[in-house]
Amino acid sequence: MKDVKCECGHVNPHGTVLCEACGKILDEQETNKQLLDMRYEGSARRSQTYNKTMIDKVWNFFSSVKVGVWLIVITLIASIIGTILPQKMYIDLPPEVYYEQEYGTFGKLYYQLGFDNLYGSWWYLLLIALIGVSLVICSLDRVIPLYKALKAQRVTRHEGFLKRQRVFGVTQNADKSDLAILKQHLVQKHYHVREENGNLLAEKGRFSRWGPYVNHVGLIIVLFGGMLRFVPGMYVNENLWIREGETALVPETGEQFYLHNNQFILQHYDKNKNKKFEKALAKAGNVVKNYQSNVVLYKRTGEKIPGEKPKLEKVKEYKVRVNHPLTFEGYSVYQSSFRSEMNAMRFALTNKKTNQSYGELKINLREPKEKYDLGNGYSVEILNYFPDFEFGKDGEPTTKSRVPNNPAFVFRMYSPEKPKGETSFVAIRQTIEPFGNNTYKMAFRGIETKNVSGFVVRKDSSLWLVILGGILFMIGVVQGAYWNHRRIWVQNKNGEIWIAAHTNKNWYGLKRELEKVLEETNINMPEDQLQREETDKEGV
Amino acid sequence: MVTISSNLLFAAFILYLVATVFYGGSIKAKKDPNETKKTNKWGSIAVFLTIIGFISQLGYFITRWIAAGHAPVSNMFEFTTFFGMALVGAFIVIYFIYRSTLLGLFTMPIAILVIAYASMFTRDVTPLIPALQSYWLSIHVTTAAIGEAILAISFAAGLIYLVKAIDQTKSNKRTFWLEIVMFALVVVLGFVVVSTAFSAIGYQEKFTWVDKHGNEANLEYTMPALTGPHEGKLLTSDGFKPLVEMPALINAKKLNTVIWSFLAGFVLYGAIRLILRKRIAAALKPMVKNIKLDFVDEISYRSVLIGFPVFTLGALIFAMIWAQEAWSRFWGWDPKEVWALITWLFYAAFLHLRLSKGWHGEKSAWLAVIGFVIIMFNLVAVNLVIAGLHSYAGS
Ligand code: HEM
C-alpha cells in the first residue's frame, strides 16, 4: 500500500485520516464533519485500514472495543450466575446430593448445567482468555499509531484542523503583547510550549495517554500469572494435619522440611474480661478469639537414607495463627483448621456383681500395649484392636482405617477367680461377651483427646507476577484517570489569532484553564462548539 | 466512650439533615442563572454544615475505634455508616472541584438514608473473629468504601441529569424507570420508618419452626409476622398470626421485613404523590433548571474516573493481599469477591462505552444508576442474603 504525502511535506502511512504533522484532513469523508474525531489523532490504525485476509478479519474483530465490552458484559453476567448458589468448593456434601437437597429442582438444574463449578469451567476460562486476547490486539492496534502521530505533530496546524476542534475561537485584533502574556500564563500552568513562526502549541499531560495501555499490560501480566498456576511445580497447595507432640514432613518440599506441632490453642472471647463486647457476646454466645499452633520448623541435614530417621536441625519456632502464616523459602504454612482426636481410653477392671474395681488401665489408642498388669493377680490382655471399628460384610469386626475414630477391643481379663481369663468385646456403648456370662467387665472410665492442627501448605511461584501486574495496573489507571492530555494551539492565520484546544477528557477543566490563561489579554475566550450545537438543539 | 461516639454520630446525622434544607434553599435563592461559579449564602452555610457534620462523624469513627480497639468497619452497622461518611467526604471533595450545591441537594439525602439504614442494625461493639484480626481489615474495607462512595457521587450527578433531561409531560419508559429509582429510595425510607416504629414500641414475637433439615429452632420477629416460618408455632400469646407460611427454603423473617418495608414505601410514596400531585422526578425538575447538562455529565464521569482506581485498589488489590494472608489464597471466588469483580467489570465497561461508543449524557447517566444499584446490591443483598466468608450475616 502507498503512503500518503500531505501538502505540508509529511509522509503519512496508508489509512491516515488526519496528517500526523499538520492535521490536514486526508480522508474525504471527514471533511463533511463539523467536528473532528480526535480519538486516536486520526492516525492509521491497522483495523481501520485492512480487511482482506483472515488475519485482518480476526484482528479487526478483537480490536473492536465493542467486542471487548461485550466480552466484559458476558463475563459479568456469568459471574453473577455463579453467586446465586454456593459453589462446589464451599459445600461439604457431594454436589449431586447437596444442590437438590438444599435448593430443590432449581438446585438440581443449577448443578446439571454445571454452574456448581462455574469459575473453573472451560467456557468461563475461555471468556477470560478472550478478554486477554482482545486486550492485547486492541492495545496494539491503537498505541503504535497514536505514539507515531503524537510524535510527528508540528506546531503549525492546518486551518481545517483548527476550525473543527471542539473548542475554537478567532480574535481579530490582538497584538504581540497579548501573545507574550498568554505564553507566560501557559508556562505558569505547566504547559510545555513550542513556538514556530509565531504559532504556539502548548501541551501537557501527554503521558496520561499511555495510561490505558499501561493498565492493560498490567492486566495481561495478572492473567498470565494466574495461568502459570497450571504449570506443574509453580503452585503447591497441600493440606497437612499434625497431632500435638508429633512431627511431620512438610509435603512438596523435596523432603527438606519437617514441622513439629507443640500445641494447638483455641481461645474464646471472655465476657468478663472483654467488657466492651459484653452485649454482643451475650447475643452471639461463644466467639472464637484465636486459633494458634505453636510449631517448630526443622530442616533435614545430610543425605536421606531410606529406613533411617532423618537428622533434623531446628530452623525456627513460630506461633502459626490465622493472618500470621509461617513462611520459609517461598513456602507458607497457614493455620486453617483443627480437630480433636481420641488419644487414649481408660477402663477399670470391675466385678460385675459387687461393682468393685480392681485397677485402672489407660490405653494409648495409637500404640496400645499387649498386656496391662494390674497387680494382685489381675491383668488384662488385648487380643485384638480395631481403631475404626465396623462390622464387615461377613459379620466379622474389622477396621475402616488406622485412625482411632471408633475404637473397639477384644479383651482377655485375668483374675484370681478366673486365671484362664474371660473374653469380652468392648466398643463404644456396647459390650459383647462371646463365651457366655463373665464375672468381670471392663468399665469405661473416660476418653482423652488430643488436638490435631490442620495446616495449608502453599507455594505460589507466580505470585510476584500477579503483584507486578497489579502495580502496573494501578499505575496505568491512575495515570490515565487523574491526568489528562491537553493541547492549546494559538496560531496566526491571515492576521487573526486562532485558538483551538483539545483534551482527551475533562473539557470543563480545560475551559476553566483557558479562561485563566486568557486573563489580562484581549484575546477572546474560544467557544465550545459542541455545547453550542446542543444549546442550538435545545432552543428548537 | 461508646456513648460519646453515638452522640457524635447523631449530631452528624442532624447536621446533614439541616444542611440538606440549606442546599434546597441555595437552589431556590439563585437569581442569576448564569451565575454558576459563586455559591450564595445559603449554599455556603450548607457546605459549612456539611463539613461540621463530617468532622462530627469523623469524631464518631475515631472514638468508636478507640472504644472497640479495632477499626469500626467490622459489622453491618459500622460498615454502612462508614460508607455514608465516605459519601459525604466524596461529595465535599467533588464540591471543591465543581462548586455545585445542587449536587449536595441530591447527595446528602442519599447519605442520610444510608446512615439511617445502617442504624437499623445492631449497634453493639462486636469482637473480631481471627480472620478479621488484621490491619488489612481497616485498610481494605475503608478504601473499598471510599471508592464506592466516589462512584456513588456519579449516581447523584446522573440522577440530576435524568431529572433535567427527561421530559415529564409524557409518560414513557424513561419517566417510569426514573420514578422507580425514586420509589426505591422511598422504600429504604419505609424500611427505616417501620423498623424504628416497631422497635420504639418494643414489638416482639417468638416462634418455634422447622428448618430445611427438619430441625426445630427458635426464631424471634421484631415486626408482626406477615410471612411465618416453616411449620412455625407462635409462642407469644398476643402476637400477630402469620398470614402465610413460607417453605423452609425461604428465610421468612427477612422476607417479612422486606414486605413491611415495601408496604411502608407504598404508603409513603402514595402520600408524597398526593401532596405533590405529580411524579417525584417531575417535582424535582424546577430545582435543576439552572444546571447545564454537560456540566453534570462531566461531574458524573469524573467521579467514576476518580473512584475507579480507588475502588480497584481497595476492593480488589488490598482484598487480595489480605485474602492471601488470612486464607492462603488471594482469590477464592467467594460471593463477596465475585461481586467486587462484577462491580469492577461494570465500571470498566462503563468507561469503555464512554470512550469508544460515545455513550455520554443520558446513556451514561443510566449506567451510573445501574452502577449504584450494583454497589447497593453488594452492600445489602450480598451481605445479608448470599452469605459467604465475608458475610456480616446477622439478621
Ligand atoms: C477487564 C478488562 C479491562 C479493564 C479493567 C480495562 C481498563 C481500562 C481503563 C481503566 C481504561 C481507561 C479509560 C479511561 O481513561 O476512561 C481503558 C481504556 C481502553 N481500553 Fe480497556 N480495559 C479492559 C479491557 C479492555 C478490552 C478487552 C479492550 C479491547 C477491546 C480494551 C480497550 C481499551 C481501549 C481501546 C481503551 C482506550 C484507550 C485510549 O483511548 O487511549 N480494554 N481500559
Side-chain angles (χ1 to χ4, degrees):
Chain A
M1 290 286 171
K2 274 213 305 286
D3 291 341
V4 192
K5 188 166 179 182
C6 175
E7 62 183 34
C8 72
H10 184 75
V11 180
N12 293 289
H14 174 70
T16 306
V17 182
L18 304 174
C19 170
E20 290 174 340
C22 75
K24 182 182 180 328
I25 302 169
L26 302 175
D27 184 338
E28 288 303 317
Q29 282 175 356
E30 202 72 12
T31 44
N32 308 325
K33 293 193 186 155
Q34 257 202 326
L35 292 179
L36 291 178
D37 179 0
M38 287 285 291
R39 247 184 304 135
Y40 303 99
E41 304 288 309
S43 59
R45 283 159 54 199
R46 188 187 197 287
S47 62
Q48 307 300 307
T49 314
Y50 304 99
N51 192 15
K52 290 228 174 64
T53 64
M54 199 55 207
I55 294 174
D56 293 343
K57 297 233 158 75
V58 171
W59 181 275
N60 294 356
F61 179 77
F62 283 113
S63 71
S64 149
V65 177
K66 194 169 149 192
V67 171
V69 171
W70 270 114
L71 287 173
I72 293 177
V73 171
I74 295 169
T75 312
L76 189 156
I77 293 169
S79 308
I80 292 179
I81 295 172
T83 62
I84 298 176
L85 297 185
Q87 290 287 298
K88 196 164 78 183
M89 56 216 161
Y90 288 111
I91 62 178
D92 39 19
L93 284 175
E96 59 276 14
V97 181
Y98 176 83
Y99 288 97
E100 194 172 357
Q101 174 189 319
E102 298 283 310
Y103 303 101
T105 323
F106 176 73
K108 191 174 168 188
L109 193 69
Y110 194 84
Y111 169 67
Q112 281 167 347
L113 289 173
F115 292 156
D116 61 318
N117 186 22
L118 190 140
Y119 307 113
S121 65
W122 63 269
W123 58 273
Y124 192 82
L125 295 180
L126 180 70
L127 270 175
I128 293 182
L130 286 178
I131 290 182
V133 172
S134 177
L135 216 49
V136 173
I137 294 184
C138 202
S139 302
L140 283 180
D141 190 56
R142 285 151 226 254
V143 70
I144 298 164
L146 180 66
Y147 176 77
K148 282 191 188 149
L150 284 176
K151 211 175 151 175
Q153 65 174 333
R154 279 196 208 133
V155 175
T156 313
R157 284 273 150 161
H158 195 266
E159 284 184 14
F161 177 86
L162 296 172
K163 266 191 205 157
R164 289 183 181 79
Q165 291 302 316
R166 180 172 157 181
V167 172
F168 174 69
V170 173
T171 305
Q172 243 88 34
N173 34 24
D175 54 60
K176 276 257 159 64
S177 64
D178 284 338
L179 277 183
I181 297 173
L182 176 60
K183 188 174 165 190
Q184 194 194 349
H185 284 174
L186 285 168
V187 173
Q188 271 168 11
K189 290 268 173 200
H190 306 289
Y191 277 88
H192 173 67
V193 184
R194 284 199 279 157
E195 206 165 352
E196 187 183 279
N197 311 328
N199 296 330
L200 293 185
L201 164 57
E203 184 175 10
K204 74 174 172 190
R206 193 197 282 185
F207 79 101
S208 80
R209 292 296 282 272
W210 317 126
Y213 308 104
V214 173
N215 88 42
H216 289 166
V217 170
L219 276 181
I220 293 290
I221 294 177
V222 170
L223 290 180
F224 183 72
M227 238 164 57
L228 279 187
R229 183 171 276 214
F230 297 108
V231 176
M234 292 297 278
Y235 184 65
V236 171
N237 177 23
E238 300 280 337
N239 290 317
L240 174 64
W241 290 92
I242 310 178
R243 230 164 272 115
E244 284 180 332
E246 291 188 10
T247 305
L249 173 69
V250 183
E252 305 280 340
T253 56
E255 308 198 4
Q256 284 281 321
F257 288 97
Y258 289 78
L259 201 62
H260 178 80
N261 183 5
N262 272 331
Q263 193 190 4
F264 174 81
I265 300 168
L266 171 65
Q267 285 168 303
H268 290 97
Y269 283 96
D270 184 342
K271 243 186 283 190
N272 304 318
K273 276 196 206 135
N274 297 285
K275 281 283 180 229
K276 57 191 176 191
F277 302 137
E278 206 174 353
K279 270 198 221 150
L281 288 173
K283 279 184 208 159
N286 267 345
V287 176
V288 176
K289 186 178 178 184
N290 188 22
Y291 298 107
Q292 173 177 329
S293 300
N294 296 345
V295 298
V296 186
L297 179 72
Y298 291 99
K299 190 170 182 178
R300 181 165 55 81
T301 56
E303 281 303 297
K304 186 180 153 37
I305 303 154
E308 229 168 81
K309 257 199 166 178
K311 285 198 195 72
L312 297 181
E313 184 183 295
K314 182 161 150 185
V315 181
K316 63 174 154 186
E317 283 180 29
Y318 193 78
K319 299 183 169 92
V320 186
R321 287 177 295 148
V322 178
N323 271 312
H324 301 272
L326 161 70
T327 52
F328 57 94
E329 296 193 14
Y331 294 90
S332 303
V333 175
Y334 296 85
Q335 174 69 50
S336 90
S337 50
F338 80 99
R339 63 166 187 251
S340 67
E341 214 175 72
M342 279 186 260
N343 181 54
M345 278 178 124
R346 280 181 291 112
F347 293 95
L349 180 63
T350 309
N351 186 308
K352 274 162 77 179
K353 271 209 198 88
T354 61
N355 247 346
Q356 161 110 29
S357 157
Y358 295 92
E360 262 194 33
L361 52 137
K362 179 170 143 188
I363 303 169
N364 182 333
L365 296 173
R366 288 268 144 200
E367 292 158 344
K369 284 199 282 189
E370 268 176 34
K371 195 154 184 176
Y372 296 81
D373 197 350
L374 301 176
N376 303 330
Y378 294 93
S379 68
V380 176
E381 197 181 336
I382 296 180
L383 298 183
N384 213 338
Y385 168 47
F386 310 96
D388 197 358
F389 157 74
E390 65 174 357
F391 280 112
K393 286 209 184 72
D394 51 2
E396 292 293 309
T398 60
T399 185
K400 268 187 279 190
S401 66
R402 302 304 312 157
V403 184
N405 288 328
N406 183 22
F409 305 88
V410 180
F411 290 119
R412 192 141 182 98
M413 306 169 282
Y414 300 96
S415 56
E417 295 105 301
K418 304 269 180 182
K420 283 206 186 123
E422 298 172 309
T423 307
S424 174
F425 176 84
V426 179
I428 291 174
R429 286 208 211 110
Q430 64 178 333
T431 303
I432 297 169
E433 300 178 347
F435 306 113
N437 224 345
N438 292 342
T439 317
Y440 286 87
K441 68 172 181 187
M442 297 295 285
F444 175 72
R445 278 294 157 87
I447 285 179
E448 281 173 22
T449 57
K450 211 171 208 186
N451 288 319
V452 192
S453 297
F455 299 102
V456 165
V457 180
R458 286 267 172 158
K459 182 181 157 190
D460 202 343
S461 308
S462 58
L463 203 56
W464 65 273
L465 262 180
V466 177
I467 295 170
L468 177 75
I471 293 173
L472 265 183
F473 179 82
M474 277 316 296
I475 293 175
V477 260
V478 168
Q479 184 180 344
Y482 292 179
W483 278 272
N484 35 68
H485 180 211
R486 293 178 179 174
R487 273 173 295 174
I488 300 171
W489 293 274
V490 183
Q491 320 241 299
N492 255 311
K493 300 277 177 197
N494 330 320
E496 299 168 336
I497 295 287
W498 287 23
I499 293 193
H502 179 76
T503 180
N504 59 339
K505 53 186 57 140
N506 190 5
W507 290 86
Y508 176 80
L510 175 72
K511 285 184 276 177
R512 294 283 302 269
E513 196 162 69
L514 261 177
E515 277 168 17
K516 284 262 163 59
V517 167
L518 292 177
E519 267 172 16
E520 301 164 32
T521 71
N522 293 317
I523 302 174
N524 302 335
M525 176 67 196
E527 232 181 302
D528 183 339
Q529 308 201 62
L530 194 71
Q531 205 168 55
R532 199 188 57 202
E533 256 177 59
E534 264 175 18
T535 38
D536 287 351
K537 260 190 252 159
E538 264 179 40
V540 174
Chain B
M1 202 61 139
V2 178
T3 333
I4 298 175
S5 175
S6 311
N7 290 340
L8 283 171
L9 180 62
F10 187 67
F13 185 76
I14 299 296
L15 282 164
Y16 295 157
L17 272 175
V18 179
T20 308
V21 176
F22 277 89
Y23 283 116
S26 82
I27 308 300
K28 283 256 165 70
K30 194 169 279 176
K31 286 191 194 87
D32 180 5
N34 294 323
E35 185 73 75
T36 47
K37 262 165 252 152
K38 283 211 192 66
T39 311
N40 57 29
K41 222 188 205 139
W42 286 77
S44 310
I45 296 174
V47 174
F48 178 73
L49 289 175
T50 309
I51 293 174
I52 300 291
F54 182 74
I55 292 171
S56 174
Q57 196 176 356
L58 213 54
Y60 141 81
F61 187 75
I62 294 167
T63 45
R64 194 174 168 99
W65 189 326
I66 296 168
H70 58 80
V73 285
S74 66
N75 57 35
M76 210 42 197
F77 163 71
E78 292 174 343
F79 178 74
T80 314
T81 343
F82 183 80
F83 175 65
M85 179 165 95
L87 203 53
V88 176
F91 162 70
I92 294 173
V93 171
I94 305 270
Y95 173 80
F96 282 105
I97 301 178
Y98 289 106
R99 307 263 169 192
S100 164
T101 50
L102 182 60
L103 188 65
L105 183 62
F106 276 72
T107 312
M108 295 309 287
I110 298 172
I112 290 169
L113 268 184
V114 167
I115 296 170
Y117 172 78
S119 312
M120 298 302 114
F121 293 89
T122 164
R123 275 174 266 178
D124 300 337
V125 177
T126 42
L128 294 183
I129 57 163
L132 297 184
Q133 295 166 11
S134 164
Y135 54 87
W136 284 108
L137 164 72
S138 29
I139 299 175
H140 153 61
V141 179
T142 52
T143 319
I146 292 171
E148 288 176 353
I150 304 173
L151 292 171
I153 297 288
S154 88
F155 163 69
L159 216 51
I160 298 177
Y161 191 100
L162 294 173
V163 167
K164 184 171 170 88
I166 291 176
D167 180 6
Q168 292 285 350
T169 55
K170 292 173 285 221
S171 308
N172 51 28
K173 263 202 318 225
R174 295 151 78 215
T175 53
F176 173 76
W177 283 108
L178 182 57
E179 206 54 17
I180 289 287
V181 175
M182 299 294 170
F183 175 68
L185 294 173
V186 175
V187 171
V188 179
L189 187 63
F191 167 72
V192 172
V193 170
V194 281
S195 305
T196 315
F198 284 123
S199 83
I201 60 170
Y203 193 90
Q204 261 185 0
E205 59 184 34
K206 290 198 171 87
F207 286 93
T208 59
W209 68 295
V210 179
D211 70 12
K212 62 187 169 194
H213 301 291
N215 302 323
E216 190 155 303
N218 290 319
L219 191 61
E220 195 177 290
Y221 278 55
T222 49
M223 295 181 191
L226 302 172
T227 53
H230 180 60
E231 294 181 20
K233 279 197 212 70
L234 185 62
L235 301 180
T236 315
S237 53
D238 54 347
F240 185 86
K241 287 235 167 49
L243 301 179
V244 275
E245 186 184 301
M246 289 289 119
L249 276 181
I250 289 172
N251 187 326
K253 187 182 166 189
K254 282 177 187 168
L255 181 64
N256 188 52
T257 309
V258 171
I259 293 175
W260 270 108
S261 309
F262 268 87
L263 285 179
F266 272 114
V267 172
L268 280 172
Y269 183 78
I272 295 171
R273 283 297 289 266
L274 269 180
I275 297 168
L276 296 176
R277 309 214 154 265
K278 51 179 127 169
R279 294 187 199 98
I280 296 182
L284 288 172
K285 213 170 165 98
M287 297 274 187
V288 301
K289 197 170 62 210
N290 292 330
I291 199 129
K292 286 204 185 100
L293 280 177
D294 71 333
F295 178 63
V296 262
D297 181 50
E298 179 156 326
I299 298 180
S300 176
Y301 177 42
R302 198 79 195 284
S303 0
V304 175
L305 274 180
I306 300 175
F308 186 71
V310 180
F311 179 80
T312 310
L313 190 67
L316 293 168
I317 295 186
F318 288 162
M320 281 155 87
I321 297 174
W322 183 20
Q324 180 74 22
E325 267 192 24
W327 292 301
S328 77
R329 83 286 182 290
F330 59 83
W331 193 260
W333 299 108
D334 164 77
K336 192 84 201 177
E337 284 171 351
V338 177
W339 272 95
L341 178 72
I342 290 166
T343 315
W344 183 75
L345 286 175
F346 176 81
Y347 280 101
F350 177 115
L351 290 174
H352 288 94
L353 283 172
R354 246 195 109 100
L355 268 178
S356 74
K357 304 212 64 176
W359 277 27
H360 298 232
E362 195 176 324
K363 279 184 183 153
S364 164
W366 282 117
L367 288 179
V369 171
I370 298 172
F372 186 68
V373 171
I374 295 178
I375 290 175
M376 283 297 110
F377 188 85
N378 225 330
L379 182 69
V380 180
V382 179
N383 281 339
L384 298 182
V385 183
I386 308 176
L389 293 174
H390 291 66
S391 177
Y392 299 137
S395 47

